Amino acid sequence: MPPETPLFEIRDANTSEKQRGMLVLNPQLGDALAKTLGGNPVVLMRGHGDTVVGRSVRDATVRTLYTHIDAQAQSAALALSSKITPMNESELEINSTENFDADRPWQNYLQKLTPRR
């Protein structure tokens, strides 16, 4: 995850419609979401969760699962103390290259989804 995860505010992107929901339902909103995402792997969507991308379905799926796990861990850590030491840019850069191999967790999750006989 980047040091700052971008936030997509649909109200800012959807100013022309009289009725504004939370869903990205047209190309203009999709373009605005993509621009907010930029080169990041995830963008938060105010009031609606997040959007996660990857180089493949496997990468996007595993990154989605880890984004959820990371959010739970961060929430639990913040409940204990507001003094959290995040990784710096150098640590994040090294971590992203050495720790994101989607194959192992992908196989693990496939085993959980596949019924055993």
Side-chain angles (χ1 to χ4, degrees):
M1 298 290 288
E4 295 283 330
T5 301
L7 174 66
F8 177 66
E9 173 54 79
I10 198 162
R11 290 177 188 163
D12 295 339
N14 196 13
T15 58
S16 62
E17 300 291 326
K18 288 183 181 181
Q19 293 184 328
R20 291 181 242 163
M22 299 302 292
L23 300 178
V24 177
L25 296 174
N26 60 51
Q28 293 78 19
L29 292 175
D31 186 53
L33 177 63
K35 284 180 182 172
T36 303
L37 175 69
N40 295 295
V42 63
V43 59
L44 299 175
M45 300 171 71
R46 188 214 31 98
H48 195 67
D50 61 358
T51 296
V52 181
V53 299
R55 292 171 291 160
S56 66
V57 170
R58 179 180 297 198
D59 284 358
T61 300
V62 170
R63 192 176 301 276
T64 298
L65 295 166
Y66 278 125
T67 298
H68 180 74
I69 291 167
D70 290 348
Q72 287 179 317
Q74 183 175 357
S75 180
L78 286 168
L80 294 172
S81 173
S82 61
K83 295 180 182 181
I84 295 175
T85 304
M87 286 191 248
N88 63 31
E89 287 194 34
S90 174
E91 292 167 329
L92 285 168
E93 185 176 324
I94 291 169
N95 186 58
S96 69
T97 60
E98 70 183 2
N99 284 331
F100 193 70
D101 175 14
D103 289 332
R104 270 186 69 191
W106 177 260
Q107 292 305 321
N108 182 37
Y109 292 117
L110 281 181
Q111 287 178 352
K112 289 180 181 182
L113 294 174
T114 306
R116 295 187 181 166
R117 294 179 183 198

